[in-house]
Amino acid sequence: MWDKIFDGFLTHLMHVGDFRLTFPDGTTRRYGDGTGKPISVTLHDPTLPRKIIMSPDMAVGEAYMDARLTIENDDLSGFLELAIRNVGMQGDPWFRKPLALGRHMMRYLQQFNPVGRSRANVAHHYDLSGELYDLFLDADRQYSCAYFSRPDMTLEEAQAAKKHHIAGKLLIEPGMKVLDIGCGWGGMGLTLARDYGAEVTGVTLSTEQYNMANRRAEEAGLADRCKFELMDYRDVKGQFDRIVSVGMFEHVGIPHYEEYFRNVRELLKDDGIALIHTIGRSDPPGTTSPWILKYIFPGGYCPALSEAMRPIENQDLFATDVEVWRLHYAETLRHWHDRFMANIDRARELYDERFCRMWRYYLIACEMTFRHNRQVVFQFQLTKQQDAVPLTRDYLYCPDEKDGKDEKDDLRHAAE
């Protein structure tokens, strides 16, 4: 019975491409319109058709991790590109809609992230071996979307361009007090302190990030102007000229959006500027992949624009600039995947084969979601006063905008 239902599911889903599936009983069927490179998948577990019908993301991800689902030539990129492209075009068949509705109703509970749960969620991902991140990130350990202002940029150049683009939107001046919410390993804060003369306080819930960020500040001679704290953003006191948050809002959770932007407003001086950089979706509100929630980012969610804007409006903040980055993150993830694969033998030494298959699945699935299923990045520039920033974007693109020189400086300082 489940094989027949699964066959109907794939017939509905696979409208483009050449997809060949070998069922656990050895039967092979073809789906799609026969165009493009053939993708051949074999299921080795007779329970998989039922599991995939009930929860495709979870079942396919786990089956790949455990090698209960194998792909000819291990072409995971080709398989996920074909699957995600078709999902984006077709959506769920009618018999899966009740299950999708149930997931939507559960999302508030899944994203309820009080301080203790937030700390555990962060530790799940960011307190992995520090060496793991060295295998695929740039030298500055920027673990967020890079900005490819030129298509031929290296990953290091694009990450430096991202930081300077954000600094431009913040209109940083020497001596300004800056709060970095979710400071990562310190790269953004160190750049603002070193290149712009800011006095930076960064906060993180990751012990690994906290230790490395402070060590980097000491080594760079910036410890007097760049300090990092192991604390929740909800516990920060005082007021700041500027607030920056890059790649942290995805971990906040819908039940806490009002609280988050209320804190931004209370911590921002009257003439201050905040810049919030987050992954989002260019379609209506949805849910997070169950596989991503379990294995990669527990408690995480990437909002629709409508979901982020309502709490901003409710907190009486001006959205003085909203920028949407489209394929920048797809390119970033491609670089990360290529670097990870170049170092996969070391990754196996740190963890095991199952972890490597999980991490590769994560990087490729995310890349293909940005390419084919309406995932984007939002940058919100927020103020309390509508005249706190210039009336046009000309200040961001003037000829003396920090670019090549500062990118090279970033690379040199990171290497040091």
Side-chain angles (χ1 to χ4, degrees):
M1 180 187 75
W2 286 107
D3 284 3
K4 290 182 179 179
I5 296 174
F6 189 42
D7 178 65
F9 173 70
L10 290 175
T11 300
H12 164 85
L13 180 65
M14 293 293 183
H15 278 217
V16 299
D18 186 355
F19 183 61
R20 306 174 186 184
L21 179 72
T22 300
F23 285 75
D25 65 3
T27 302
T28 298
R29 297 193 177 103
R30 295 181 65 176
Y31 304 90
D33 60 5
T35 60
K37 178 177 62 173
I39 301 295
S40 298
V41 171
T42 300
L43 305 183
H44 304 281
D45 179 352
T47 69
L48 275 177
R50 174 181 59 83
K51 290 178 177 178
I52 294 173
I53 287 293
M54 299 302 291
S55 183
D57 291 357
M58 181 70 79
V60 171
E62 289 187 333
Y64 179 78
M65 289 165 59
D66 299 332
R68 290 178 291 116
L69 176 156
T70 57
I71 308 164
E72 186 175 5
N73 300 319
D74 200 20
D75 186 7
L76 181 59
S77 292
F79 167 59
L80 287 176
E81 179 178 16
L82 181 62
I84 291 172
R85 186 154 58 101
N86 277 279
V87 167
M89 294 169 59
Q90 307 302 329
D92 278 336
W94 67 267
F95 55 81
R96 274 202 43 83
K97 293 191 184 299
L99 297 173
L101 179 61
R103 280 179 54 193
H104 199 278
M105 292 173 65
M106 289 292 293
R107 66 188 193 138
Y108 282 89
L109 180 61
Q110 293 169 339
Q111 297 171 39
F112 179 63
N113 295 321
V115 175
R117 190 173 181 183
S118 291
R119 191 179 300 274
N121 289 345
V122 167
H124 177 93
H125 191 88
Y126 295 99
D127 285 345
L128 295 170
S129 168
E131 189 175 345
L132 170 68
Y133 293 98
D134 290 333
L135 299 182
F136 68 96
L137 297 182
D138 64 301
D140 195 42
R141 280 208 184 186
Q142 289 295 301
Y143 195 24
S144 62
C145 180
Y147 185 54
F148 290 86
S149 53
R150 298 191 323 271
D152 62 341
M153 276 183 161
T154 65
L155 180 62
E156 278 76 12
E157 290 172 333
Q159 291 290 11
K162 181 265 300 290
K163 290 184 293 178
H164 292 302
H165 189 70
I166 290 172
K169 288 186 176 182
L170 288 168
L171 294 159
I172 296 283
E173 295 178 6
M176 283 186 168
K177 293 178 62 178
V178 178
L179 173 64
D180 185 355
I181 299 176
C183 60
W185 292 278
M188 188 78 230
L190 292 170
T191 295
L192 296 180
R194 183 187 66 233
D195 297 341
Y196 296 88
E199 296 179 8
V200 180
T201 298
V203 296
T204 178
L205 290 175
S206 165
T207 302
E208 287 281 339
Q209 291 181 339
Y210 162 75
N211 290 330
M212 174 172 279
N214 279 302
R215 184 168 67 250
R216 292 180 67 192
E218 289 282 354
E219 293 170 351
L222 294 170
D224 60 329
R225 288 191 284 126
C226 200
K227 304 181 188 301
F228 301 96
E229 305 287 348
L230 187 63
M231 66 187 303
D232 192 277
Y233 73 95
R234 289 165 282 201
D235 296 326
V236 176
K237 306 298 181 185
Q239 284 201 313
F240 298 84
D241 299 292
R242 301 290 187 261
I243 296 175
V244 63
S245 183
V246 180
M248 179 271 180
F249 190 67
E250 300 91 328
H251 304 284
V252 170
I254 293 172
H256 304 278
Y257 283 3
E258 295 285 351
E259 179 183 31
Y260 177 89
F261 287 111
R262 181 169 63 251
N263 275 269
V264 169
R265 177 173 175 77
E266 291 174 353
L267 293 168
L268 192 64
K269 291 183 178 179
D270 287 345
D271 60 349
I273 303 170
L275 192 288
I276 313 301
H277 170 118
T278 180
I279 300 172
R281 61 186 71 223
S282 59
D283 53 4
T287 58
T288 303
S289 158
W291 185 87
I292 289 288
L293 284 174
K294 180 177 180 179
Y295 290 100
I296 308 298
F297 293 120
Y301 177 69
C302 302
L305 185 61
S306 57
E307 293 175 297
M309 288 305 299
R310 182 176 294 277
I312 290 172
E313 295 164 356
N314 289 344
Q315 295 304 321
D316 198 25
L317 289 164
F318 283 99
T320 47
D321 190 284
V322 179
E323 186 174 5
V324 182
W325 294 4
R326 287 154 289 125
L327 292 172
H328 292 273
Y329 219 147
E331 290 301 306
T332 304
L333 286 154
R334 179 179 61 82
H335 279 277
W336 288 349
H337 173 262
D338 291 349
R339 290 177 176 220
F340 180 74
M341 291 304 295
N343 294 290
I344 196 165
D345 289 341
R346 179 55 184 153
R348 289 192 186 101
E349 293 174 3
L350 291 171
Y351 291 98
D352 57 23
E353 179 63 26
R354 186 173 188 267
F355 179 92
C356 290
R357 290 172 72 86
M358 177 191 78
W359 206 259
R360 184 169 178 239
Y361 190 92
Y362 150 58
L363 293 174
I364 295 176
C366 289
E367 176 192 346
M368 295 307 164
T369 302
F370 276 96
R371 292 197 188 278
H372 302 294
N373 204 18
R374 304 182 70 85
Q375 199 93 69
V376 296
V377 169
F378 298 130
Q379 282 192 348
F380 301 102
Q381 185 193 59
L382 308 174
T383 67
K384 291 182 177 180
Q385 301 173 353
Q386 62 175 327
D387 59 353
V389 298
L391 297 183
T392 73
R393 275 182 172 173
D394 291 352
Y395 68 97
L396 284 173
Y397 305 109
C398 58
D400 63 347
E401 179 185 26
K402 292 177 177 290
D403 45 26
K405 176 181 180 299
D406 287 327
E407 289 163 11
K408 292 176 183 177
D409 288 346
D410 269 352
L411 295 176
R412 187 183 73 251
H413 289 298
E416 292 170 354

